[in-house]
Amino acid sequence: MIEKSLINLEKTVLVGLITKNQTKQVLNEYLDELNFLTYTAGGKVSKRFTQKMESPDPKYFLGKGKMDELQSYVKVNEIGSVIFDDELSPAQQINIEKFLKTKVLDRTGLILDIFAQRAKTSYARNQVELAQYQYLLPRLKGLWTHLERQKGGIGMRGPGETEIETDRRIVRNKINLLKKKLVSIDKQMSTQRGNRGALVRVSLVGYTNVGKSTIMNSISKSKVFAEDKLFATLDTTVRKVVVDNLPFLMTDTVGFIRKLPTQLVDSFKSTLTEITEADLLIHVVDISHKNFEDHISSVNIILSEINANDKPIIMLFNKTDKYIKENINHLENHEIGFEDKSLTNLKISLKKNFKTDIFFISALRKLDINTFRNELYKKVREIHITRFPYNAFLYPDIK
Ligand code: GDP
Ligand code: MG
């Protein structure tokens, strides 16, 4: 069945560079992800433009010939937006937009747009708005003023026309106001967190779309929104969970993604507080994704940026039902043969590589969930009885 919205999807073109540090294969992986992001934002990719260059052109990012090619493609095919995988300087963005006479976005702009679309609570909306204004501030001059903003579409959600086109001072004031508002909500939230008492707090972390919300649902029997799109939800969900009578709090957090701009991590610091205050992290990985090892490193980088990298952690490899061995091209790193990429061998090598607890499940098909749940119980129990020693007898120690 074709979704109704497919008919109205905005036509887009993706652009990326092959450089010394970014091979064709790596670029293709990034562009696959950018494609998924575009789809999540409500776009349809018509074509990819790539070019091999030492470094991006300071004025137009691409070389002159490629730009001409892109320009005529955009015109003939009525392309609504051109999306660059790398961050464009404000000047580049304006130059390119004038040249192509269409909307131009970079990965950051696209991610911000998805966030704007998906933020539900006023807290999340404030955080996105703050990030959007910070992103816009250096780009105010000339950006989009020659375009019809009323058209809407990708990159156009969020702060309205008047704010963007008036001067920077207004935007700066807005930024200050939002920051103050967030500080006051932060205080409220920290009181709320305080009120939750000494219950053990477990936080699900991981790349976007790996199955965190699905796992949350299967452990807590609650209904958290899960969808096969990037950043299906932006808001943190906290649930009280009971496993074998032992109560604890479980948090489902926003997913991480590669090339996440630092300004975004900054705006989402408060959302990420749930992670920094957790007693135990569950790092969820989609083992069926061919780039899962890159995903793990991206998540680890963000965890260390928010100083949460030395917390107790369980590695939880999900989607074992979907694992396709041809997908995995990283086994060279695991010192096992190139021939045998079976799931069994991958599990063995991953177990060797991670010094922490590690489990393999399928949350969707409910495979091996119990072994993981038992371990979770054991870990939570350990922390719980340090806080409530007189409760130890209530919760049997399982071997
Ligand atoms: P999140 O972004 O990490 O919260 O991921 P979600 O829980 O929203 O799941 C993303 C997509 O992956 C959804 O379409 C889920 O149905 C799907 N999914 C989750 N777990 C599994 C699994 O074990 N196997 C398969 N095949 N799909 C899964
Ligand atoms: Mg989710």
Side-chain angles (χ1 to χ4, degrees), residues 271-319:
T271 296
L272 303 174
T273 320
E274 287 292 346
I275 301 174
T276 53
E277 294 186 356
D279 300 297
L280 173 66
L281 301 182
I282 301 172
H283 183 163
V284 184
V285 181
D286 174 358
I287 198 169
S288 75
H289 197 292
K290 62 176 188 217
N291 305 123
F292 77 81
E293 295 197 302
D294 285 345
H295 294 175
I296 295 175
S297 345
S298 306
V299 170
N300 285 339
I301 289 170
I302 295 173
L303 286 181
S304 56
E305 272 178 32
I306 59 171
N307 298 320
N309 51 335
D310 51 4
K311 288 187 180 289
I313 193 157
I314 297 177
M315 293 299 296
L316 185 58
F317 289 85
N318 187 34
K319 305 199 190 180

Side-chain angles (χ1 to χ4, degrees), residues 95-114:
N95 294 337
I96 301 169
E97 224 160 51
K98 289 202 168 130
F99 187 78
L100 296 179
K101 297 191 181 56
T102 194
K103 220 182 333 152
V104 169
L105 286 145
D106 56 15
R107 181 181 269 250
T108 311
L110 182 61
I111 293 175
L112 282 172
D113 190 65
I114 296 171

Side-chain angles (χ1 to χ4, degrees), residues 216-217 220 222-224 237-241 248-252:
M216 174 90 164
N217 286 338
S220 71
S222 61
K223 265 248 140 310
V224 174
T237 319
V238 185
R239 293 268 185 281
K240 188 168 165 187
V241 182
F248 59 94
L249 297 171
M250 197 162 190
T251 315
D252 180 16

Side-chain angles (χ1 to χ4, degrees), residues 207-215 225-229 231-233 252-253 255 318-322 361-365:
Y207 210 71
T208 181
N209 210 48
V210 294
K212 296 180 294 298
S213 302
T214 312
I215 291 166
F225 187 58
E227 195 187 11
D228 197 13
K229 283 192 173 172
F231 313 112
T233 48
D252 180 16
T253 57
N318 187 34
K319 305 199 190 180
T320 50
D321 61 292
K322 205 180 156 198
I361 63 162
S362 163
L364 200 65
R365 306 264 169 261

Side-chain angles (χ1 to χ4, degrees), residues 61-301:
F61 197 81
L62 294 176
K64 182 75 179 77
K66 222 15 154 200
M67 277 306 278
D68 289 338
E69 209 182 299
L70 181 57
Q71 189 193 41
S72 61
Y73 185 86
V74 163
K75 196 166 170 210
V76 172
N77 297 282
E78 298 177 334
I79 298 301
S81 51
V82 178
I83 306 176
F84 287 71
D85 190 48
D86 291 287
E87 205 158 333
L88 297 171
S89 74
Q92 276 170 331
Q93 190 171 357
I94 292 162
N95 294 337
I96 301 169
E97 224 160 51
K98 289 202 168 130
F99 187 78
L100 296 179
K101 297 191 181 56
T102 194
K103 220 182 333 152
V104 169
L105 286 145
D106 56 15
R107 181 181 269 250
T108 311
L110 182 61
I111 293 175
L112 282 172
D113 190 65
I114 296 171
F115 280 177
Q117 219 180 334
R118 292 182 169 250
K120 291 277 179 318
T121 62
S122 71
Y123 183 62
R125 276 202 300 271
N126 279 340
Q127 292 188 93
V128 178
E129 225 175 286
L130 175 61
Q132 282 184 312
Y133 278 122
Q134 281 169 336
Y135 178 74
L136 274 176
L137 192 57
R139 290 172 169 77
L140 275 177
K141 206 175 148 218
L143 185 69
W144 290 330
T145 46
H146 55 289
L147 297 169
E148 274 180 81
R149 254 197 91 78
Q150 292 86 326
K151 265 191 184 163
I154 302 174
M156 296 305 206
R157 287 168 281 247
E161 179 181 20
T162 45
E163 285 93 358
I164 292 165
E165 288 169 6
T166 35
D167 72 340
R168 285 155 196 260
R169 207 184 53 229
I170 297 180
V171 173
R172 284 211 188 90
N173 287 343
K174 269 267 186 205
I175 289 178
N176 288 334
L177 204 75
L178 281 165
K179 278 187 176 160
K180 276 192 200 132
K181 227 164 147 184
L182 284 171
V183 169
S184 95
I185 307 180
D186 273 352
K187 272 198 199 126
Q188 262 169 282
M189 288 177 80
S190 121
T191 321
Q192 277 171 17
R193 278 195 296 270
N195 289 345
R196 285 189 215 137
L199 282 186
V200 176
R201 277 142 70 167
V202 179
S203 226
L204 290 160
V205 296
Y207 210 71
T208 181
N209 210 48
V210 294
K212 296 180 294 298
S213 302
T214 312
I215 291 166
M216 174 90 164
N217 286 338
S218 74
I219 300 282
S220 71
K221 298 191 177 65
S222 61
K223 265 248 140 310
V224 174
F225 187 58
E227 195 187 11
D228 197 13
K229 283 192 173 172
L230 301 178
F231 313 112
T233 48
L234 239 202
D235 296 300
T236 307
T237 319
V238 185
R239 293 268 185 281
K240 188 168 165 187
V241 182
V242 181
V243 173
D244 294 341
N245 292 328
L246 173 64
F248 59 94
L249 297 171
M250 197 162 190
T251 315
D252 180 16
T253 57
V254 57
F256 300 163
I257 194 154
R258 283 183 287 196
K259 299 188 182 177
L260 192 73
T262 37
Q263 81 219 48
L264 253 181
V265 179
D266 260 5
S267 321
F268 285 88
K269 278 257 156 68
S270 335
T271 296
L272 303 174
T273 320
E274 287 292 346
I275 301 174
T276 53
E277 294 186 356
D279 300 297
L280 173 66
L281 301 182
I282 301 172
H283 183 163
V284 184
V285 181
D286 174 358
I287 198 169
S288 75
H289 197 292
K290 62 176 188 217
N291 305 123
F292 77 81
E293 295 197 302
D294 285 345
H295 294 175
I296 295 175
S297 345
S298 306
V299 170
N300 285 339
I301 289 170

